[in-house]
Amino acid sequence: MRKSLAILSIVLVFTALLGCGQKKFAPQAIHEDVDVCAVCNMQVKDGAYATQIITKDGRSLKFDDLGCMNKWKMENGTDQIGMDYVRDYNDKSWIEYEKAAYVYDPSIRTPMAYGIVSFKDKKAAEAFMKEQGAGKLLSADELAQHSWQQSKDMMGMDDHEHMEESSGTHGQMHGDGAGEDESKEMNMNSNSGH
């Protein structure tokens, strides 16, 4: 009996030690009725453009556009980030920021007009570019050198005016409830010559 208890104690201590230092920073669900972007205070849609940072202390910071998440990182640094996530444009699954492939084109319509969408792998990103006839493939490292300019044509107003809008008009930036597939087609076809 003592031998079994000693072995069990060793196993429990070993398991506890393995768990320490390996904190998991899993993405949290998006709740459209309450979640707002940590940068622009607009509603975060539970869709392909949502991004998220889980801080080392377990807080979830949600963003309506990859550009807003980048702005937060520029203003706050990366020391407090446990993990950062983007969504796959096709199936909306969460992907670690560093592992995703990105496509940029000013004609891609995103909530805050940064024109960047994310994919779980390079193959999916390349298929998107081929289908749309536009886009530049970028890695997470290459995004660090990206200019992060908002497309004024896509926003329809300057940054100052947009930031003063109430969150109630944010749906207009997302297409006023148009279906996701219809929205994808409309967004890219409007500027497919780029």
Side-chain angles (χ1 to χ4, degrees):
M1 177 77 167
R2 283 186 178 184
K3 189 175 183 181
S4 297
L5 189 56
I7 291 172
L8 179 61
S9 296
I10 290 170
V11 168
L12 289 174
V13 168
F14 185 69
T15 303
L17 290 174
L18 280 178
C20 292
Q22 292 185 346
K23 193 170 185 177
K24 299 236 180 201
F25 301 103
Q28 297 177 12
I30 300 291
H31 300 288
E32 292 183 356
D33 53 336
V34 295
D35 287 335
V36 294
C37 179
V39 169
C40 70
N41 293 316
M42 298 296 187
Q43 178 186 24
V44 178
K45 296 285 190 178
D46 189 21
Y49 307 111
T51 64
Q52 186 170 170
I53 289 174
I54 306 299
T55 63
K56 289 179 180 174
D57 64 2
R59 290 180 302 129
S60 170
L61 303 172
K62 297 171 184 173
F63 306 90
D64 66 339
D65 191 300
L66 183 60
C68 287
M69 183 168 78
N70 178 71
K71 186 173 184 177
W72 186 92
K73 288 178 182 181
M74 298 300 287
E75 292 172 356
N76 296 282
T78 58
D79 291 345
Q80 58 186 307
I81 297 175
M83 185 59 68
D84 43 1
Y85 293 95
V86 295
R87 282 227 155 127
D88 178 72
Y89 186 76
N90 294 318
D91 69 13
K92 298 169 193 63
S93 60
W94 290 109
I95 316 157
E96 291 179 20
Y97 177 84
E98 291 292 327
K99 294 180 179 177
Y102 300 90
V103 174
Y104 166 73
D105 194 89
S107 68
I108 298 173
R109 234 181 136 91
T110 64
M112 294 304 291
Y114 285 98
I116 301 172
V117 289
S118 47
F119 296 88
K120 62 179 72 174
D121 56 39
K122 186 177 175 181
K123 183 178 177 182
E126 289 171 338
F128 174 83
M129 291 187 307
K130 183 177 180 182
E131 176 186 308
Q132 301 301 328
K136 178 181 178 183
L137 183 65
L138 299 168
S139 67
D141 289 338
E142 290 168 323
L143 281 180
Q145 307 305 316
H146 183 68
S147 66
W148 293 101
Q149 296 297 311
Q150 290 173 292
S151 172
K152 301 296 184 202
D153 293 338
M154 292 295 160
M155 289 189 71
M157 61 181 86
D158 68 36
D159 293 337
H160 180 71
E161 289 173 312
H162 182 70
M163 295 309 286
E164 290 179 356
E165 289 290 327
S166 70
S167 61
T169 61
H170 189 58
Q172 294 171 0
M173 295 299 295
H174 287 275
D176 281 332
E180 188 74 29
D181 292 333
E182 178 185 334
S183 177
K184 286 180 194 176
E185 185 177 321
M186 285 179 10
N187 293 339
M188 289 304 296
N189 287 340
S190 65
N191 290 316
S192 61
H194 290 154

